[in-house]
Amino acid sequence: MCIRDRLYAQLSGIRPHKILIAANYAGIQVEHTVTKVNQAKKPEYLARNPNGKLPFIDTPNGPVYESNAILRYIARNSTSNNLYGVDNYENTLVDQWLDWCSFELEPALNDIMYPILGYVEYNQEKTTKGWENLKKALQILDDHLKYNTFVVGHQVTIADIGIVTPLFHAFRPVSYTHLTLPTIYSVQISVVAVSLKKK
């Protein structure tokens, strides 16, 4: 299979991982060009993403940046499944949950994780607020998944991938055993396991 899309991103992290997982589900071969953050400020990279950030993807039609836009691009180009849902309503729900992840889940995780990873100085008030917001967000997700096998529809979509990836990254270095979220754990394991089997 010829490579039609080339992803420029760090070696690891939430954003490159969710894009590569989606490409794996979609059956689209994406070449991952490992790129350092400071390289994104070079003129040849700024021509593809004027924000000077990663990730971005070179496609046959031109570059695309912002990780959720890249997820949508991959889902729309998949011929083997319905990663973006089966109809316009499901497409909208996928967008809804991707936005929810970006504006509710990830900011709470960042408030907890960034001090642990050394990205920012520890601030007790912000971390406490992060835990409160995370508990609310995860309860919403867990309640939804009690009655739904997947986040949207009856199969994995980029909404599942977009939500599972930051949870997977966050749950590795920190113990969340005090949170009772059995449904989230089972969906998280399913999405990651199926993706690994597809390789």
Side-chain angles (χ1 to χ4, degrees), residues 158-179:
I158 53 173
D160 299 277
I161 295 166
I163 291 169
V164 163
T165 309
L167 289 176
F168 178 76
H169 278 262
F171 284 17
R172 287 187 308 166
V174 177
S175 173
Y176 293 80
T177 52
H178 62 288
L179 301 175

Side-chain angles (χ1 to χ4, degrees), residues 3 14-15 27 67 94 100 160 178:
I3 297 164
I14 294 166
R15 288 171 180 80
S67 59
V94 167
W100 176 86
D160 299 277
H178 62 288

Side-chain angles (χ1 to χ4, degrees), residues 147-197:
Y147 306 101
N148 300 279
T149 305
F150 300 101
V151 175
V152 176
H154 303 290
Q155 64 185 47
V156 170
T157 66
I158 53 173
D160 299 277
I161 295 166
I163 291 169
V164 163
T165 309
L167 289 176
F168 178 76
H169 278 262
F171 284 17
R172 287 187 308 166
V174 177
S175 173
Y176 293 80
T177 52
H178 62 288
L179 301 175
T180 310
L181 303 159
T183 318
I184 289 176
Y185 287 122
S186 66
V187 171
Q188 177 181 242
I189 290 164
S190 300
V191 172
V192 173
V194 171
S195 176
L196 292 173
K197 280 182 187 174

